[in-house]
Amino acid sequence: MTTSTPLLLADLTGVAVFAASGASAAVVKRLDLFGVAFVGFVAALGGGIFRDLVIDEAPPLAFADWRYAATAAVTAAAVFWLHPQLARLRTTVLVLDAAGLGLFTVTGTLKALDAQVPPVGACLIGMLTAIGGGLARDLLTGEIPVVLRREIYAVAALAGSIAVAALDASGHAGAAGLTAAAVFVFALRLVALRRRWSAPVATLRPPRTGTRGTHA
Amino acid sequence: MTTSTPLLLADLTGVAVFAASGASAAVVKRLDLFGVAFVGFVAALGGGIFRDLVIDEAPPLAFADWRYAATAAVTAAAVFWLHPQLARLRTTVLVLDAAGLGLFTVTGTLKALDAQVPPVGACLIGMLTAIGGGLARDLLTGEIPVVLRREIYAVAALAGSIAVAALDASGHAGAAGLTAAAVFVFALRLVALRRRWSAPVATLRPPRTGTRGTHA
Amino acid sequence: MTTSTPLLLADLTGVAVFAASGASAAVVKRLDLFGVAFVGFVAALGGGIFRDLVIDEAPPLAFADWRYAATAAVTAAAVFWLHPQLARLRTTVLVLDAAGLGLFTVTGTLKALDAQVPPVGACLIGMLTAIGGGLARDLLTGEIPVVLRREIYAVAALAGSIAVAALDASGHAGAAGLTAAAVFVFALRLVALRRRWSAPVATLRPPRTGTRGTHA
């Protein structure tokens, strides 16, 4: 609750960009105003609610501080009325999502460390904070979760959260270091998208008998 | 835990109607007895478990008080053996769901206010308590979540929770006012269903290039 | 946190077998290394995270004790690189899943009883701990949740958790009794799979008008 102002600003910026990503995805799916607001709300606040449940901050900030819900609602409504042309929306979702990924990785990992979670757990919580909203957005709108696609996504968040934990352990978790970590996640995600980087896929020997499941 | 008797009765009635809605939906999907019981259980208790996690009531009432699980199980079993004809089931699900929406909106908002959650957060928690079970039911049975369809659903719950918060703030949260709020949500939802009221949908300018996602 | 060594070993064994089941399911779906690790992580730790949220153990063991995440990650990576031939994977998933079901039923029920949850709630929490990871795995990989298929699954876990609660109430919850309960769930699940045992399905009178939803 005693969140510092820069951390609050980073958190609310993450809420806004994830709300915009969720709302854009919902507009693409032709949901109505409230469906757009709901998907925006879940994408923006779902990861943080999970984080706060896990570190036992009750009620979660999304409910304790009205500025979180208000930021998500205003952003989603703005996307609903002002959204650019459809073809541009898909790119917008991806870029906003990458920005939210970087911001929530940093704030999520920091909050978990502040709550005395050990480093390995704090990195996992930071990653899950960052990917949780997008995961919920994709489950709600019936898309294959972005985290399961063959792209660098969760791993960018995990690398960023390890960087934050290392900065924290070495006493360098100042504004400059944390901003660098957020930008690193954002840039890594965008470069991976643009160059279509992906992680390796398991090789499967051809099955002896015809079976379902061989198609990708 | 010190729930008053009327609030407990309202809560258990909400559990029963949502269990019946979940069980009916599961019967339509031809699930077996335990699948029907499980979907009934999740639809009835999912929203309340989420509410209790968020307001840090541990363990959630669904696990602390055996009457919750027993109400859900008995209702689901009754639906399994006594369910009316298939064609009637779909209407039954909708009406029961509307009743549960009204009851859980009121009890969820009140419990959050009792747990010292600020009004904006309490309204959101009340809404999520009311829509959570139906959302989980729809995700489990592979339906498009009712909350995302072009219908007045979450917004009816939100309006009801704002009414409860206003009654509470003005010292009028007695049995009469709260009953009126629950009936208001129930009636708003039924009228919206019958008149096919819906919220506006974003207009999309035609994309310059052919693209997926334009179909509803 | 003061988990006894045998309980910790049973818990970590459950983590490993569920991680292997999740990773195997992800390999079948052709997910990449990180998708495989993520599904393995969720399948292995999802049920336990839910259990710890519900009994208010914060942070959940999955984040508080690095050995949980490490066990899940190492197992998932091993499956990714060493997985046997595709045709065998499906059977492997089912057997590992049955073993995890038995182990998590026992440890989940015991932990809930230790946290002073009443017996009915503790049985439900034990069952949900056991089925939660597989449910999340199936939702993520787009399969019909195993718990909703016409098979003895959740009911095996529920029978096991009732056995654990009875052993605990009668003062016989020693290593022998608990091992027997875990083996009982495992065996019941495997026999049900092999003999295609299933629970009854509701009979539906034919609808008067043609309607969707009649197909299974």
Side-chain angles (χ1 to χ4, degrees), chain A residues 53-54 56 118 121 124-125 128 131 148 150 155 199-204 207-208 212-214, chain C residues 27-34 38-39 53 56 58-60 63-64 69 80 83 85-86 90 140:
Chain A
L53 286 177
V54 159
D56 214 16
L124 291 172
I125 292 173
L128 291 169
I131 72 176
L148 295 182
R150 288 186 200 165
V155 74
V201 176
T203 48
L204 288 171
R208 281 175 203 161
R212 290 180 302 166
T214 45
Chain C
V27 166
V28 170
K29 292 281 175 180
R30 306 303 313 271
L31 299 185
D32 68 17
L33 175 58
F34 295 104
F38 187 75
V39 177
L53 287 176
D56 214 16
F63 303 116
F80 183 81
H83 69 83
Q85 189 180 330
L86 183 65
R90 296 180 163 275
L140 277 178

mmCIF file of all heavy atoms in Angstrom, chain A residues 53-54 56 118 121 124-125 128 131 148 150 155 199-204 207-208 212-214, chain C residues 27-34 38-39 53 56 58-60 63-64 69 80 83 85-86 90 140:
data_model
loop_
_atom_site.group_PDB
_atom_site.id
_atom_site.type_symbol
_atom_site.label_atom_id
_atom_site.label_comp_id
_atom_site.label_asym_id
_atom_site.label_seq_id
_atom_site.Cartn_x
_atom_site.Cartn_y
_atom_site.Cartn_z
ATOM 1 N N LEU A 53 -2.920 -11.921 -4.569
ATOM 2 C CA LEU A 53 -3.432 -13.096 -3.862
ATOM 3 C C LEU A 53 -2.270 -13.937 -3.351
ATOM 4 O O LEU A 53 -2.273 -14.427 -2.225
ATOM 5 C CB LEU A 53 -4.307 -13.946 -4.791
ATOM 6 C CG LEU A 53 -5.692 -13.403 -5.114
ATOM 7 C CD1 LEU A 53 -6.405 -14.313 -6.107
ATOM 8 C CD2 LEU A 53 -6.526 -13.263 -3.845
ATOM 9 N N VAL A 54 -1.252 -14.088 -4.187
ATOM 10 C CA VAL A 54 -0.140 -14.968 -3.868
ATOM 11 C C VAL A 54 0.745 -14.386 -2.762
ATOM 12 O O VAL A 54 1.271 -15.118 -1.926
ATOM 13 C CB VAL A 54 0.657 -15.250 -5.162
ATOM 14 C CG1 VAL A 54 2.061 -15.698 -4.859
ATOM 15 C CG2 VAL A 54 -0.081 -16.280 -6.002
ATOM 16 N N ASP A 56 -0.422 -12.357 -0.559
ATOM 17 C CA ASP A 56 -1.348 -12.123 0.546
ATOM 18 C C ASP A 56 -1.534 -10.641 0.855
ATOM 19 O O ASP A 56 -1.606 -10.239 2.018
ATOM 20 C CB ASP A 56 -0.869 -12.861 1.802
ATOM 21 C CG ASP A 56 -2.057 -13.347 2.628
ATOM 22 O OD1 ASP A 56 -3.176 -13.381 2.093
ATOM 23 O OD2 ASP A 56 -1.869 -13.682 3.806
ATOM 24 N N PRO A 118 11.212 -15.552 -1.518
ATOM 25 C CA PRO A 118 12.586 -15.829 -1.942
ATOM 26 C C PRO A 118 12.767 -15.546 -3.434
ATOM 27 O O PRO A 118 11.786 -15.563 -4.197
ATOM 28 C CB PRO A 118 12.750 -17.322 -1.638
ATOM 29 C CG PRO A 118 11.680 -17.660 -0.665
ATOM 30 C CD PRO A 118 10.550 -16.728 -0.949
ATOM 31 N N GLY A 121 11.060 -17.736 -6.296
ATOM 32 C CA GLY A 121 9.617 -17.525 -6.298
ATOM 33 C C GLY A 121 9.247 -16.136 -6.784
ATOM 34 O O GLY A 121 8.263 -15.968 -7.514
ATOM 35 N N LEU A 124 9.340 -16.019 -10.526
ATOM 36 C CA LEU A 124 8.163 -16.685 -11.101
ATOM 37 C C LEU A 124 6.927 -15.803 -10.949
ATOM 38 O O LEU A 124 6.120 -15.671 -11.873
ATOM 39 C CB LEU A 124 7.927 -18.035 -10.415
ATOM 40 C CG LEU A 124 8.973 -19.103 -10.710
ATOM 41 C CD1 LEU A 124 8.751 -20.325 -9.824
ATOM 42 C CD2 LEU A 124 8.890 -19.501 -12.187
ATOM 43 N N ILE A 125 6.767 -15.177 -9.780
ATOM 44 C CA ILE A 125 5.605 -14.305 -9.568
ATOM 45 C C ILE A 125 5.669 -13.102 -10.505
ATOM 46 O O ILE A 125 4.659 -12.692 -11.085
ATOM 47 C CB ILE A 125 5.528 -13.866 -8.093
ATOM 48 C CG1 ILE A 125 5.183 -15.075 -7.207
ATOM 49 C CG2 ILE A 125 4.498 -12.749 -7.910
ATOM 50 C CD1 ILE A 125 5.251 -14.794 -5.713
ATOM 51 N N LEU A 128 4.637 -14.329 -13.885
ATOM 52 C CA LEU A 128 3.203 -14.627 -13.949
ATOM 53 C C LEU A 128 2.366 -13.346 -13.872
ATOM 54 O O LEU A 128 1.296 -13.263 -14.489
ATOM 55 C CB LEU A 128 2.811 -15.596 -12.827
ATOM 56 C CG LEU A 128 3.382 -17.011 -12.994
ATOM 57 C CD1 LEU A 128 3.173 -17.830 -11.725
ATOM 58 C CD2 LEU A 128 2.739 -17.716 -14.183
ATOM 59 N N ILE A 131 2.503 -12.093 -17.495
ATOM 60 C CA ILE A 131 1.825 -12.862 -18.540
ATOM 61 C C ILE A 131 0.378 -13.195 -18.170
ATOM 62 O O ILE A 131 -0.397 -13.600 -19.035
ATOM 63 C CB ILE A 131 2.578 -14.168 -18.882
ATOM 64 C CG1 ILE A 131 2.453 -15.208 -17.769
ATOM 65 C CG2 ILE A 131 4.032 -13.895 -19.201
ATOM 66 C CD1 ILE A 131 3.105 -16.532 -18.106
ATOM 67 N N LEU A 148 1.735 -19.688 -25.178
ATOM 68 C CA LEU A 148 1.957 -21.032 -25.706
ATOM 69 C C LEU A 148 2.362 -21.022 -27.173
ATOM 70 O O LEU A 148 2.703 -22.051 -27.732
ATOM 71 C CB LEU A 148 0.694 -21.884 -25.541
ATOM 72 C CG LEU A 148 0.270 -22.166 -24.104
ATOM 73 C CD1 LEU A 148 -0.946 -23.059 -24.090
ATOM 74 C CD2 LEU A 148 1.403 -22.814 -23.330
ATOM 75 N N ARG A 150 4.665 -20.224 -30.501
ATOM 76 C CA ARG A 150 6.110 -20.412 -30.644
ATOM 77 C C ARG A 150 6.815 -19.075 -30.735
ATOM 78 O O ARG A 150 7.336 -18.693 -31.774
ATOM 79 C CB ARG A 150 6.390 -21.233 -31.889
ATOM 80 C CG ARG A 150 5.992 -22.671 -31.709
ATOM 81 C CD ARG A 150 6.395 -23.490 -32.879
ATOM 82 N NE ARG A 150 5.600 -24.717 -32.885
ATOM 83 C CZ ARG A 150 5.516 -25.505 -33.928
ATOM 84 N NH1 ARG A 150 6.160 -25.207 -35.020
ATOM 85 N NH2 ARG A 150 4.781 -26.589 -33.861
ATOM 86 N N VAL A 155 9.463 -16.118 -21.699
ATOM 87 C CA VAL A 155 10.898 -16.176 -21.425
ATOM 88 C C VAL A 155 11.492 -14.770 -21.369
ATOM 89 O O VAL A 155 12.439 -14.516 -20.611
ATOM 90 C CB VAL A 155 11.603 -17.074 -22.464
ATOM 91 C CG1 VAL A 155 11.725 -16.394 -23.802
ATOM 92 C CG2 VAL A 155 12.947 -17.523 -21.956
ATOM 93 N N ALA A 199 11.539 -20.542 -29.635
ATOM 94 C CA ALA A 199 12.284 -21.572 -28.920
ATOM 95 C C ALA A 199 12.171 -22.879 -29.698
ATOM 96 O O ALA A 199 11.305 -23.035 -30.556
ATOM 97 C CB ALA A 199 11.714 -21.725 -27.515
ATOM 98 N N PRO A 200 13.074 -23.829 -29.413
ATOM 99 C CA PRO A 200 13.043 -25.095 -30.153
ATOM 100 C C PRO A 200 11.796 -25.914 -29.850
ATOM 101 O O PRO A 200 11.168 -25.773 -28.807
ATOM 102 C CB PRO A 200 14.299 -25.825 -29.653
ATOM 103 C CG PRO A 200 14.618 -25.198 -28.333
ATOM 104 C CD PRO A 200 14.162 -23.773 -28.431
ATOM 105 N N VAL A 201 11.427 -26.750 -30.804
ATOM 106 C CA VAL A 201 10.280 -27.645 -30.669
ATOM 107 C C VAL A 201 10.808 -29.075 -30.614
ATOM 108 O O VAL A 201 11.782 -29.399 -31.291
ATOM 109 C CB VAL A 201 9.321 -27.468 -31.865
ATOM 110 C CG1 VAL A 201 8.174 -28.447 -31.784
ATOM 111 C CG2 VAL A 201 8.829 -26.046 -31.928
ATOM 112 N N ALA A 202 10.169 -29.892 -29.802
ATOM 113 C CA ALA A 202 10.625 -31.277 -29.670
ATOM 114 C C ALA A 202 10.475 -32.009 -30.993
ATOM 115 O O ALA A 202 9.487 -31.841 -31.706
ATOM 116 C CB ALA A 202 9.828 -31.993 -28.582
ATOM 117 N N THR A 203 11.488 -32.800 -31.344
ATOM 118 C CA THR A 203 11.368 -33.632 -32.532
ATOM 119 C C THR A 203 10.568 -34.868 -32.159
ATOM 120 O O THR A 203 10.738 -35.441 -31.092
ATOM 121 C CB THR A 203 12.758 -34.065 -33.032
ATOM 122 O OG1 THR A 203 13.486 -34.558 -31.910
ATOM 123 C CG2 THR A 203 13.494 -32.885 -33.632
ATOM 124 N N LEU A 204 9.673 -35.235 -33.038
ATOM 125 C CA LEU A 204 8.846 -36.413 -32.777
ATOM 126 C C LEU A 204 9.156 -37.438 -33.838
ATOM 127 O O LEU A 204 9.013 -37.178 -35.030
ATOM 128 C CB LEU A 204 7.364 -36.042 -32.843
ATOM 129 C CG LEU A 204 6.823 -35.206 -31.682
ATOM 130 C CD1 LEU A 204 5.415 -34.744 -32.005
ATOM 131 C CD2 LEU A 204 6.822 -36.031 -30.416
ATOM 132 N N PRO A 207 5.115 -41.857 -35.567
ATOM 133 C CA PRO A 207 4.495 -42.946 -34.813
ATOM 134 C C PRO A 207 4.372 -44.177 -35.702
ATOM 135 O O PRO A 207 4.272 -44.076 -36.914
ATOM 136 C CB PRO A 207 3.125 -42.377 -34.462
ATOM 137 C CG PRO A 207 2.850 -41.369 -35.529
ATOM 138 C CD PRO A 207 4.180 -40.797 -35.931
ATOM 139 N N ARG A 208 4.369 -45.346 -35.051
ATOM 140 C CA ARG A 208 4.263 -46.585 -35.840
ATOM 141 C C ARG A 208 2.874 -46.759 -36.421
ATOM 142 O O ARG A 208 2.700 -47.241 -37.514
ATOM 143 C CB ARG A 208 4.589 -47.783 -34.956
ATOM 144 C CG ARG A 208 6.088 -47.938 -34.765
ATOM 145 C CD ARG A 208 6.425 -49.049 -33.795
ATOM 146 N NE ARG A 208 7.754 -48.816 -33.239
ATOM 147 C CZ ARG A 208 8.197 -49.375 -32.133
ATOM 148 N NH1 ARG A 208 7.423 -50.209 -31.460
ATOM 149 N NH2 ARG A 208 9.393 -49.105 -31.680
ATOM 150 N N ARG A 212 -4.026 -39.706 -33.959
ATOM 151 C CA ARG A 212 -4.321 -38.285 -33.961
ATOM 152 C C ARG A 212 -3.211 -37.564 -33.224
ATOM 153 O O ARG A 212 -2.472 -38.162 -32.465
ATOM 154 C CB ARG A 212 -5.642 -38.017 -33.249
ATOM 155 C CG ARG A 212 -6.834 -38.519 -34.018
ATOM 156 C CD ARG A 212 -8.074 -38.207 -33.245
ATOM 157 N NE ARG A 212 -8.019 -38.809 -31.917
ATOM 158 C CZ ARG A 212 -8.838 -38.487 -30.939
ATOM 159 N NH1 ARG A 212 -9.745 -37.549 -31.129
ATOM 160 N NH2 ARG A 212 -8.765 -39.070 -29.779
ATOM 161 N N GLY A 213 -3.113 -36.281 -33.414
ATOM 162 C CA GLY A 213 -2.187 -35.506 -32.604
ATOM 163 C C GLY A 213 -0.876 -35.233 -33.300
ATOM 164 O O GLY A 213 -0.058 -34.494 -32.792
ATOM 165 N N THR A 214 -0.664 -35.806 -34.489
ATOM 166 C CA THR A 214 0.600 -35.550 -35.163
ATOM 167 C C THR A 214 0.606 -34.202 -35.850
ATOM 168 O O THR A 214 1.650 -33.611 -36.049
ATOM 169 C CB THR A 214 0.868 -36.630 -36.220
ATOM 170 O OG1 THR A 214 -0.345 -36.832 -36.934
ATOM 171 C CG2 THR A 214 1.285 -37.931 -35.574
ATOM 172 N N VAL C 27 4.082 -31.608 -25.558
ATOM 173 C CA VAL C 27 4.871 -32.126 -26.681
ATOM 174 C C VAL C 27 3.937 -32.653 -27.771
ATOM 175 O O VAL C 27 4.161 -32.420 -28.961
ATOM 176 C CB VAL C 27 5.844 -33.230 -26.200
ATOM 177 C CG1 VAL C 27 6.418 -34.006 -27.381
ATOM 178 C CG2 VAL C 27 6.974 -32.615 -25.374
ATOM 179 N N VAL C 28 2.855 -33.333 -27.353
ATOM 180 C CA VAL C 28 1.871 -33.828 -28.315
ATOM 181 C C VAL C 28 1.290 -32.663 -29.125
ATOM 182 O O VAL C 28 1.043 -32.786 -30.321
ATOM 183 C CB VAL C 28 0.740 -34.598 -27.591
ATOM 184 C CG1 VAL C 28 -0.409 -34.904 -28.545
ATOM 185 C CG2 VAL C 28 1.285 -35.891 -26.994
ATOM 186 N N LYS C 29 1.115 -31.506 -28.470
ATOM 187 C CA LYS C 29 0.557 -30.328 -29.143
ATOM 188 C C LYS C 29 1.621 -29.546 -29.905
ATOM 189 O O LYS C 29 1.347 -28.456 -30.406
ATOM 190 C CB LYS C 29 -0.090 -29.403 -28.102
ATOM 191 C CG LYS C 29 -1.338 -29.972 -27.449
ATOM 192 C CD LYS C 29 -2.544 -29.835 -28.345
ATOM 193 C CE LYS C 29 -3.738 -30.525 -27.724
ATOM 194 N NZ LYS C 29 -4.923 -30.423 -28.571
ATOM 195 N N ARG C 30 2.847 -30.050 -29.950
ATOM 196 C CA ARG C 30 3.956 -29.411 -30.667
ATOM 197 C C ARG C 30 4.293 -28.031 -30.117
ATOM 198 O O ARG C 30 4.672 -27.144 -30.867
ATOM 199 C CB ARG C 30 3.670 -29.314 -32.169
ATOM 200 C CG ARG C 30 3.313 -30.620 -32.844
ATOM 201 C CD ARG C 30 4.396 -31.697 -32.673
ATOM 202 N NE ARG C 30 5.752 -31.258 -32.940
ATOM 203 C CZ ARG C 30 6.329 -31.292 -34.142
ATOM 204 N NH1 ARG C 30 5.665 -31.754 -35.167
ATOM 205 N NH2 ARG C 30 7.563 -30.894 -34.311
ATOM 206 N N LEU C 31 4.161 -27.827 -28.829
ATOM 207 C CA LEU C 31 4.587 -26.555 -28.256
ATOM 208 C C LEU C 31 6.108 -26.513 -28.189
ATOM 209 O O LEU C 31 6.772 -27.536 -28.227
ATOM 210 C CB LEU C 31 3.996 -26.369 -26.853
ATOM 211 C CG LEU C 31 2.480 -26.338 -26.773
ATOM 212 C CD1 LEU C 31 2.028 -26.029 -25.361
ATOM 213 C CD2 LEU C 31 1.908 -25.315 -27.744
ATOM 214 N N ASP C 32 6.663 -25.292 -28.087
ATOM 215 C CA ASP C 32 8.116 -25.165 -28.012
ATOM 216 C C ASP C 32 8.600 -25.430 -26.586
ATOM 217 O O ASP C 32 7.809 -25.707 -25.684
ATOM 218 C CB ASP C 32 8.567 -23.791 -28.510
ATOM 219 C CG ASP C 32 8.138 -22.669 -27.585
ATOM 220 O OD1 ASP C 32 7.777 -22.933 -26.416
ATOM 221 O OD2 ASP C 32 8.150 -21.515 -28.020
ATOM 222 N N LEU C 33 9.917 -25.349 -26.391
ATOM 223 C CA LEU C 33 10.510 -25.688 -25.096
ATOM 224 C C LEU C 33 9.858 -24.929 -23.948
ATOM 225 O O LEU C 33 9.553 -25.498 -22.896
ATOM 226 C CB LEU C 33 12.019 -25.387 -25.130
ATOM 227 C CG LEU C 33 12.783 -25.574 -23.816
ATOM 228 C CD1 LEU C 33 12.642 -26.994 -23.282
ATOM 229 C CD2 LEU C 33 14.257 -25.248 -24.021
ATOM 230 N N PHE C 34 9.600 -23.632 -24.155
ATOM 231 C CA PHE C 34 9.060 -22.863 -23.047
ATOM 232 C C PHE C 34 7.575 -23.115 -22.854
ATOM 233 O O PHE C 34 7.069 -23.098 -21.738
ATOM 234 C CB PHE C 34 9.384 -21.380 -23.239
ATOM 235 C CG PHE C 34 10.862 -21.151 -23.177
ATOM 236 C CD1 PHE C 34 11.597 -20.918 -24.331
ATOM 237 C CD2 PHE C 34 11.535 -21.245 -21.969
ATOM 238 C CE1 PHE C 34 12.969 -20.758 -24.279
ATOM 239 C CE2 PHE C 34 12.909 -21.085 -21.905
ATOM 240 C CZ PHE C 34 13.632 -20.836 -23.065
ATOM 241 N N PHE C 38 6.069 -24.387 -19.477
ATOM 242 C CA PHE C 38 4.972 -23.651 -18.856
ATOM 243 C C PHE C 38 3.794 -24.577 -18.536
ATOM 244 O O PHE C 38 3.247 -24.546 -17.429
ATOM 245 C CB PHE C 38 4.508 -22.506 -19.769
ATOM 246 C CG PHE C 38 3.502 -21.613 -19.121
ATOM 247 C CD1 PHE C 38 3.877 -20.692 -18.155
ATOM 248 C CD2 PHE C 38 2.158 -21.701 -19.457
ATOM 249 C CE1 PHE C 38 2.946 -19.876 -17.538
ATOM 250 C CE2 PHE C 38 1.212 -20.889 -18.841
ATOM 251 C CZ PHE C 38 1.614 -19.977 -17.884
ATOM 252 N N VAL C 39 3.410 -25.409 -19.495
ATOM 253 C CA VAL C 39 2.303 -26.336 -19.241
ATOM 254 C C VAL C 39 2.694 -27.337 -18.151
ATOM 255 O O VAL C 39 1.878 -27.673 -17.282
ATOM 256 C CB VAL C 39 1.878 -27.060 -20.536
ATOM 257 C CG1 VAL C 39 0.782 -28.072 -20.252
ATOM 258 C CG2 VAL C 39 1.390 -26.052 -21.576
ATOM 259 N N LEU C 53 -3.631 -20.949 -1.631
ATOM 260 C CA LEU C 53 -4.422 -19.713 -1.587
ATOM 261 C C LEU C 53 -5.621 -19.914 -0.670
ATOM 262 O O LEU C 53 -5.964 -19.045 0.132
ATOM 263 C CB LEU C 53 -4.901 -19.324 -2.989
ATOM 264 C CG LEU C 53 -3.852 -18.769 -3.945
ATOM 265 C CD1 LEU C 53 -4.462 -18.524 -5.317
ATOM 266 C CD2 LEU C 53 -3.270 -17.472 -3.396
ATOM 267 N N ASP C 56 -4.726 -20.125 2.908
ATOM 268 C CA ASP C 56 -4.042 -18.891 3.299
ATOM 269 C C ASP C 56 -2.599 -19.140 3.719
ATOM 270 O O ASP C 56 -2.114 -18.527 4.673
ATOM 271 C CB ASP C 56 -4.803 -18.203 4.434
ATOM 272 C CG ASP C 56 -4.692 -16.686 4.311
ATOM 273 O OD1 ASP C 56 -4.319 -16.216 3.233
ATOM 274 O OD2 ASP C 56 -4.981 -15.995 5.288
ATOM 275 N N ALA C 58 0.771 -18.162 2.604
ATOM 276 C CA ALA C 58 1.328 -17.197 1.657
ATOM 277 C C ALA C 58 2.811 -16.984 1.955
ATOM 278 O O ALA C 58 3.170 -16.827 3.111
ATOM 279 C CB ALA C 58 0.588 -15.869 1.758
ATOM 280 N N PRO C 59 3.648 -16.930 0.914
ATOM 281 C CA PRO C 59 3.310 -17.298 -0.457
ATOM 282 C C PRO C 59 3.133 -18.805 -0.574
ATOM 283 O O PRO C 59 3.660 -19.543 0.256
ATOM 284 C CB PRO C 59 4.529 -16.831 -1.256
ATOM 285 C CG PRO C 59 5.656 -16.891 -0.292
ATOM 286 C CD PRO C 59 5.076 -16.544 1.049
ATOM 287 N N PRO C 60 2.392 -19.271 -1.602
ATOM 288 C CA PRO C 60 2.239 -20.699 -1.809
ATOM 289 C C PRO C 60 3.598 -21.400 -1.879
ATOM 290 O O PRO C 60 4.587 -20.800 -2.307
ATOM 291 C CB PRO C 60 1.505 -20.785 -3.148
ATOM 292 C CG PRO C 60 0.751 -19.499 -3.235
ATOM 293 C CD PRO C 60 1.637 -18.481 -2.587
ATOM 294 N N PHE C 63 6.060 -21.076 -4.652
ATOM 295 C CA PHE C 63 6.914 -19.898 -4.755
ATOM 296 C C PHE C 63 7.848 -19.774 -3.553
ATOM 297 O O PHE C 63 8.889 -19.130 -3.635
ATOM 298 C CB PHE C 63 6.064 -18.632 -4.870
ATOM 299 C CG PHE C 63 5.115 -18.659 -6.023
ATOM 300 C CD1 PHE C 63 3.741 -18.646 -5.824
ATOM 301 C CD2 PHE C 63 5.590 -18.717 -7.324
ATOM 302 C CE1 PHE C 63 2.867 -18.690 -6.893
ATOM 303 C CE2 PHE C 63 4.723 -18.764 -8.396
ATOM 304 C CZ PHE C 63 3.356 -18.752 -8.184
ATOM 305 N N ALA C 64 7.458 -20.366 -2.416
ATOM 306 C CA ALA C 64 8.254 -20.208 -1.198
ATOM 307 C C ALA C 64 9.444 -21.164 -1.171
ATOM 308 O O ALA C 64 10.470 -20.865 -0.579
ATOM 309 C CB ALA C 64 7.382 -20.441 0.032
ATOM 310 N N ALA C 69 9.490 -25.509 -7.965
ATOM 311 C CA ALA C 69 9.639 -25.045 -9.344
ATOM 312 C C ALA C 69 10.776 -25.773 -10.039
ATOM 313 O O ALA C 69 10.677 -26.110 -11.231
ATOM 314 C CB ALA C 69 9.872 -23.534 -9.361
ATOM 315 N N PHE C 80 10.915 -33.048 -22.556
ATOM 316 C CA PHE C 80 11.106 -32.395 -23.853
ATOM 317 C C PHE C 80 12.205 -33.076 -24.651
ATOM 318 O O PHE C 80 12.057 -33.342 -25.840
ATOM 319 C CB PHE C 80 11.438 -30.918 -23.638
ATOM 320 C CG PHE C 80 11.575 -30.134 -24.902
ATOM 321 C CD1 PHE C 80 10.449 -29.668 -25.573
ATOM 322 C CD2 PHE C 80 12.828 -29.868 -25.439
ATOM 323 C CE1 PHE C 80 10.575 -28.948 -26.744
ATOM 324 C CE2 PHE C 80 12.949 -29.150 -26.615
ATOM 325 C CZ PHE C 80 11.820 -28.687 -27.260
ATOM 326 N N HIS C 83 11.632 -37.499 -24.342
ATOM 327 C CA HIS C 83 10.323 -38.123 -24.457
ATOM 328 C C HIS C 83 10.344 -39.317 -25.410
ATOM 329 O O HIS C 83 11.019 -39.298 -26.443
ATOM 330 C CB HIS C 83 9.303 -37.101 -24.952
ATOM 331 C CG HIS C 83 9.549 -36.705 -26.362
ATOM 332 N ND1 HIS C 83 9.112 -37.414 -27.431
ATOM 333 C CD2 HIS C 83 10.226 -35.687 -26.875
ATOM 334 C CE1 HIS C 83 9.495 -36.842 -28.534
ATOM 335 N NE2 HIS C 83 10.190 -35.794 -28.231
ATOM 336 N N GLN C 85 8.496 -42.223 -27.894
ATOM 337 C CA GLN C 85 7.764 -42.062 -29.146
ATOM 338 C C GLN C 85 6.337 -41.567 -28.918
ATOM 339 O O GLN C 85 5.725 -41.833 -27.887
ATOM 340 C CB GLN C 85 7.754 -43.421 -29.840
ATOM 341 C CG GLN C 85 7.225 -43.379 -31.253
ATOM 342 C CD GLN C 85 7.252 -44.760 -31.828
ATOM 343 O OE1 GLN C 85 8.117 -45.562 -31.451
ATOM 344 N NE2 GLN C 85 6.325 -45.045 -32.708
ATOM 345 N N LEU C 86 5.826 -40.827 -29.900
ATOM 346 C CA LEU C 86 4.529 -40.185 -29.745
ATOM 347 C C LEU C 86 3.426 -41.138 -29.293
ATOM 348 O O LEU C 86 2.671 -40.844 -28.369
ATOM 349 C CB LEU C 86 4.106 -39.533 -31.063
ATOM 350 C CG LEU C 86 2.802 -38.758 -31.002
ATOM 351 C CD1 LEU C 86 2.941 -37.573 -30.071
ATOM 352 C CD2 LEU C 86 2.395 -38.293 -32.379
ATOM 353 N N ARG C 90 0.720 -40.813 -25.065
ATOM 354 C CA ARG C 90 -0.647 -40.687 -24.580
ATOM 355 C C ARG C 90 -0.893 -41.596 -23.375
ATOM 356 O O ARG C 90 -1.507 -41.192 -22.402
ATOM 357 C CB ARG C 90 -1.638 -41.007 -25.700
ATOM 358 C CG ARG C 90 -1.528 -40.021 -26.829
ATOM 359 C CD ARG C 90 -2.483 -40.295 -27.953
ATOM 360 N NE ARG C 90 -2.571 -39.087 -28.760
ATOM 361 C CZ ARG C 90 -3.388 -38.090 -28.489
ATOM 362 N NH1 ARG C 90 -4.214 -38.158 -27.481
ATOM 363 N NH2 ARG C 90 -3.404 -37.009 -29.246
ATOM 364 N N LEU C 140 -5.474 -25.120 -20.968
ATOM 365 C CA LEU C 140 -4.397 -24.467 -21.726
ATOM 366 C C LEU C 140 -4.174 -25.126 -23.077
ATOM 367 O O LEU C 140 -3.898 -24.448 -24.069
ATOM 368 C CB LEU C 140 -3.085 -24.514 -20.940
ATOM 369 C CG LEU C 140 -2.863 -23.443 -19.885
ATOM 370 C CD1 LEU C 140 -1.543 -23.677 -19.182
ATOM 371 C CD2 LEU C 140 -2.867 -22.055 -20.519
#
